[in-house]
Amino acid sequence: MDTAAIYHRSESEYAYLYERGHYHIRIRTKAKDVESVELISGDPYLLDEEKWYTDGKEMKKVATTNMHDYWMIDTHEPTKRMAYGFRVIGKDGIEIFYSDQGVYPFEETFLDQMNFYFRVPYIHEIDAFRAPKWAAETIWYQIFPERFRNGDESNNPEGTLPWASKEHPSRDDFYGGDLQGVLDGLDHLEELGINGIYFTPVFEAHSNHKYDTIDYKEIDPDFGDKDLFKKVVDEAHKRGMRVMIDAVFNHLGIQSSQWQDVLENQEESKYKDWFYIHSFPVEDVSGLSTEELENVGRVNYDTFAFTGHMPKLNTANPEVQEYLLDIATYWVREFDVDAWRLDVANEVDHYFWKRFFKETTAVKEDLYILGEIWHSSQNWLNGDEFHAVMNYAFTDNIENYFFKKILSPTRLISSLNSQLMLYRKQTTEVMFNLLDSHDTPRLLTKAGGDKSLVKSAMAFLYSQPGAPCMYYGTEVGLEGEGDPDCRKCMIWDENKQDHDMLRFSKELIRFRKKYQPILSYGETEWHDVRDDEQFLGFKRKLGNQELYFFFNQDEDEAFLPLLPHGAHKVFGFNDESYENDEILYHNGFSVYYYVDNEEEKKQRLMKKRKRAKKRKVLLEAIKSN
């Protein structure tokens, strides 16, 4: 047994309160190296009296990667105090005690020493990571307002082009999309089944994308005004849709009053410490073209990337903090928005985000806070900054398997599990899962125009834990390469819409909503993985309810394994029944629903035994007092 591969860290994603009465503990071992793991745990004050180390609890292997196995147990201590260690038995027969002090022989000499154990001094519910329950139940729809719908031509910016008049939009094109267009399009979203809208920025800005903010307290006049925005939020709420808006707190636009003051007054500007300025005079880049501004190279102030029109804010400055926090609470308090999406969140200091979390959730307890981070994000997801991130690190693996074809089924599972094990379960349940956005090529383009492949990849995404997001236009077959081509005008002409994709999108969303508890909270078991056939079979399970998923990415048809008696198909594509066999064709998938009544009986028996054991402990505690 390779003991150097064993890893656990207390009070982290390896040990956390999931919900009242359910404390999750994980441990990592080398892949295929360990036969079994038991949790050795009890109240630290009862070690000598009860010798609870003689009664281990079996842990379950819940995930495997190409490097590691992950084991987990859902446990609880009635006194809310816990000391714990692990009994690990290798496939070679070696048995060890893995403790806070390291690896030792599994012997009483070490087991009866309290200082060897990991400790949870007291389980405080207030310290637990908590996310809004509604976020796990949401199917998001991302809207880029300038390209969604032109509902009011009276507020068109100068030089507005006819809707969708160019096959490939340029960076500085305007087509007149606005909030009235969103209001007019809410019926479409309701028919689609959407229950969450994510808006890219709506605040006053110079560009069509609005990430170069001029004034955070104003709706951009090209989109409408505050009254119209409030109406959009209210109408969305009436339809059961949550609303998330985009905060660009990493940087401002060069047209903002603060930056204009810096350009005018230079070293004498009262805002000079609001930014990271290296020398004076500060360069004025406003005369450059849109294309030139996207990559100005190094200037004498910090910017987002090398975009000269987006000077970076100094969020360590108390004045900047107060300014931004006032904005953050204003839109929640006055307009009842349900969520903030935080742009370039990984380039803003943790101190500011902790203040942001505390002050915004004080206004609205069930506010959802989403960070734009494209990589592993444990440091932001400990419960005091964000609830979730845009889960590119997870969904990139789906893209690498379905579109780029660079992963085998086994490697896909390994990569997905690696990401899942980075976070607490309640974090994973509200992650923001997406396959495309305003920052990436569109889904249909990634799939090389293959609509059947798009359907398969979307079904896989919607089968995973986390909240899925659909980028506007995906449902009607909108294509597009990277920015700015991925920001084309929404197709409203029904003669140009892909009605087959629209029907599929509605069916997929209905499926997700119907089985949402299983898909959000259920465990995953990979039971039929065939690398040589590019075939994936897995099960999502919650209690005695199970969903069996099968995906075929091979050119040849594939046969499904024998399913439990009583399982029936609830969703599928490119699949058919032939005599007694179920067949999946290329890019096909099938989903079967099954209720395991034997599992229900087993669960009831286990609960009965747990209650009996709990009562026994309580009675003994009462007697000892």
Side-chain angles (χ1 to χ4, degrees):
M1 178 168 49
D2 185 357
T3 58
I6 303 175
Y7 182 74
H8 173 82
R9 188 173 76 255
S10 61
E11 296 191 82
S12 70
E13 68 273 13
Y14 282 87
Y16 60 91
L17 181 64
Y18 175 64
E19 59 185 19
R20 180 179 296 178
H22 296 271
Y23 200 88
H24 288 185
I25 294 179
R26 297 171 180 165
I27 187 173
R28 189 191 76 189
T29 63
K30 183 178 178 180
K32 302 177 182 178
D33 189 44
V34 168
E35 186 66 35
S36 66
V37 181
E38 291 181 359
L39 179 73
I40 310 299
S41 66
D43 187 302
Y45 295 103
L46 297 174
L47 176 67
D48 294 337
E49 180 182 337
E50 294 185 351
K51 298 192 181 298
W52 39 253
Y53 53 79
T54 60
D55 184 21
K57 307 181 195 78
E58 183 180 0
M59 299 183 71
K60 180 180 179 180
K61 188 191 297 185
V62 294
T64 294
T65 72
N66 62 321
M67 295 178 64
H68 300 113
D69 289 334
Y70 294 84
W71 310 73
M72 198 200 88
I73 189 169
D74 183 341
T75 189
H76 177 63
E77 285 297 328
T79 63
K80 298 183 181 180
R81 300 182 297 263
M82 191 189 310
Y84 65 94
F86 305 90
R87 180 189 186 190
V88 184
I89 302 175
K91 290 186 181 293
D92 56 8
I94 293 175
E95 181 179 9
I96 61 104
F97 171 44
Y98 183 75
S99 74
D100 193 31
Q101 301 292 327
V103 176
Y104 291 87
F106 194 79
E107 298 173 357
E108 191 167 9
T109 303
F110 306 102
L111 293 169
D112 67 1
Q113 300 297 313
M114 176 48 60
N115 288 338
F116 277 78
Y117 288 91
F118 295 97
R119 297 285 286 273
V120 183
Y122 195 85
I123 299 172
H124 291 280
E125 290 185 31
I126 196 171
D127 290 335
F129 180 105
R130 290 188 298 272
K133 187 177 185 296
W134 64 263
E137 302 167 354
T138 302
I139 298 169
W140 293 100
Y141 187 91
Q142 182 187 353
I143 291 178
F144 191 85
E146 216 284 319
R147 303 293 161 78
F148 184 65
R149 189 168 188 159
N150 189 341
D152 181 2
E153 294 187 358
S154 70
N155 60 18
N156 284 359
E158 184 179 350
T160 295
L161 300 171
W163 194 255
S165 57
K166 288 171 67 173
E167 183 179 359
H168 301 288
S170 301
R171 287 193 186 278
D172 49 5
D173 287 348
F174 286 86
Y175 293 91
D178 50 32
L179 290 173
Q180 184 60 50
V182 174
L183 197 62
D184 296 342
L186 287 180
D187 287 345
H188 169 72
L189 301 189
E190 188 172 17
E191 290 170 9
L192 192 58
I194 295 301
N195 56 6
I197 303 172
Y198 155 41
F199 288 102
T200 54
V202 295
F203 307 137
E204 184 180 358
H206 178 73
S207 66
N208 54 34
H209 54 70
K210 310 303 178 189
Y211 281 97
D212 53 337
T213 312
I214 293 174
D215 189 342
Y216 294 102
K217 283 271 184 94
E218 294 296 332
I219 295 294
D220 193 281
D222 297 345
F223 292 164
D225 57 25
K226 291 179 180 178
D227 288 339
L228 181 55
F229 178 70
K230 184 68 166 68
K231 188 175 181 180
V232 169
V233 174
D234 291 345
E235 288 299 319
H237 285 168
K238 288 177 184 177
R239 289 168 165 82
M241 301 175 192
R242 302 282 181 161
V243 174
M244 177 162 64
I245 57 177
D246 208 327
V248 193
F249 290 167
N250 176 69
H251 50 268
L252 265 173
I254 57 174
Q255 303 298 329
S256 64
S257 60
Q258 294 90 343
W259 188 252
Q260 288 297 307
D261 189 273
V262 168
L263 292 179
E264 180 180 348
N265 297 303
Q266 296 291 328
E267 285 186 271
E268 301 303 316
S269 172
K270 63 181 179 179
Y271 296 111
K272 68 176 182 178
D273 293 329
W274 280 42
F275 305 93
Y276 293 95
I277 298 170
H278 305 308
S279 63
F280 291 94
V282 174
E283 300 175 44
D284 184 357
V285 297
S286 59
L288 299 178
S289 69
T290 302
E291 288 293 337
E292 289 172 329
L293 285 171
E294 285 296 312
N295 190 4
V296 298
R298 294 181 182 275
V299 288
N300 62 345
Y301 54 92
D302 287 354
T303 61
F304 164 62
F306 291 106
T307 54
H309 58 306
M310 299 181 188
K312 182 175 175 60
L313 282 164
N314 176 13
T315 48
N317 183 328
E319 290 182 9
V320 175
Q321 291 175 20
E322 296 305 320
Y323 170 71
L324 295 178
L325 292 172
D326 175 59
I327 292 158
T329 53
Y330 171 76
W331 290 97
V332 178
R333 183 177 60 252
E334 301 298 329
F335 296 87
D336 198 24
V337 298
D338 304 288
W340 276 110
R341 183 264 191 186
L342 307 171
D343 190 59
V344 203
N346 58 339
E347 296 187 23
V348 176
D349 59 273
H350 290 281
Y351 180 89
F352 174 75
W353 289 137
K354 291 179 194 297
R355 285 200 64 191
F356 178 94
F357 181 93
K358 185 175 182 180
E359 299 206 16
T360 55
T361 54
V363 176
K364 193 170 193 174
E365 188 177 3
D366 68 342
L367 187 78
Y368 176 62
I369 302 175
L370 172 70
E372 185 210 10
I373 300 180
W374 292 55
H375 52 78
S376 301
S377 309
Q378 298 102 310
N379 287 344
W380 290 269
L381 295 173
N382 289 314
D384 57 354
E385 294 186 47
F386 310 153
H387 297 110
V389 296
M390 301 184 78
N391 208 8
Y392 288 108
F394 181 79
T395 55
D396 278 353
N397 293 299
I398 301 174
E399 179 180 339
N400 288 337
Y401 176 71
F402 283 92
F403 305 145
K404 296 181 179 179
K405 310 294 186 186
I406 60 176
L407 297 182
S408 66
T410 299
R411 178 64 78 165
L412 168 67
I413 295 166
S414 174
S415 300
L416 293 176
N417 282 341
S418 291
Q419 287 297 314
L420 289 172
M421 290 297 103
L422 291 176
Y423 309 112
R424 297 162 177 84
K425 187 175 186 293
Q426 60 264 48
T427 309
T428 297
E429 291 166 358
V430 297
M431 279 292 207
F432 189 90
N433 292 343
L434 68 168
L435 288 173
D436 59 350
S437 72
H438 66 291
D439 285 326
T440 73
R442 283 187 166 272
L443 187 52
L444 187 55
T445 300
K446 289 181 180 182
D450 187 339
K451 290 189 290 185
S452 66
L453 182 55
V454 168
K455 291 177 181 179
S456 193
M458 287 177 66
F460 189 88
L461 178 76
Y462 280 57
S463 75
Q464 299 301 303
C469 179
M470 183 177 292
Y471 188 32
Y472 80 94
T474 296
E475 75 276 21
V476 291
L478 196 56
E479 297 180 287
E481 297 288 349
D483 174 19
D485 201 48
C486 57
R487 303 170 181 184
K488 291 182 178 181
C489 294
M490 174 67 175
I491 303 170
W492 291 108
D493 184 343
E494 292 188 6
N495 294 320
K496 295 180 180 179
Q497 291 180 340
D498 186 330
H499 291 278
D500 174 65
M501 186 61 74
L502 182 57
R503 282 191 297 271
F504 173 81
S505 298
K506 290 179 179 179
E507 188 178 357
L508 178 62
I509 290 170
R510 281 196 298 270
F511 163 77
R512 173 78 190 195
K513 292 170 87 169
K514 181 176 182 178
Y515 297 103
Q516 178 268 322
I518 305 173
L519 298 172
S520 293
Y521 310 119
E523 58 188 73
T524 303
E525 295 179 11
W526 302 90
H527 59 80
D528 190 357
V529 182
R530 313 173 203 168
D531 282 355
D532 55 340
E533 297 180 47
Q534 291 298 315
F535 186 90
L536 282 164
F538 60 95
K539 176 170 64 175
R540 301 298 313 281
K541 177 180 177 182
L542 183 66
N544 68 329
Q545 296 185 81
E546 300 177 350
L547 285 170
Y548 286 82
F549 290 85
F550 302 97
F551 290 82
N552 179 28
Q553 284 295 292
D554 199 69
E555 293 290 341
D556 297 327
E557 63 271 14
F559 291 89
L560 269 58
L562 189 65
L563 289 160
H565 179 70
H568 63 279
K569 193 172 83 169
V570 293
F571 197 28
F573 172 73
N574 270 6
D575 60 336
E576 71 171 345
S577 299
Y578 182 74
E579 294 182 349
N580 293 322
D581 283 316
E582 302 294 330
I583 302 173
L584 274 187
Y585 296 101
H586 180 50
N587 289 333
F589 67 87
S590 290
V591 188
Y592 290 79
Y593 175 72
Y594 174 65
V595 177
D596 187 346
N597 290 314
E598 289 301 315
E599 176 67 18
E600 185 178 21
K601 292 176 185 176
K602 187 170 75 173
Q603 291 294 330
R604 281 202 305 266
L605 182 60
M606 287 178 63
K607 287 181 180 178
K608 186 176 180 181
R609 287 174 177 171
K610 283 184 178 179
R611 284 197 301 270
K613 188 174 182 180
K614 182 179 179 180
R615 288 167 182 162
K616 181 182 177 183
V617 171
L618 288 172
L619 285 171
E620 290 176 351
I622 291 169
K623 289 177 181 178
S624 65
N625 290 330

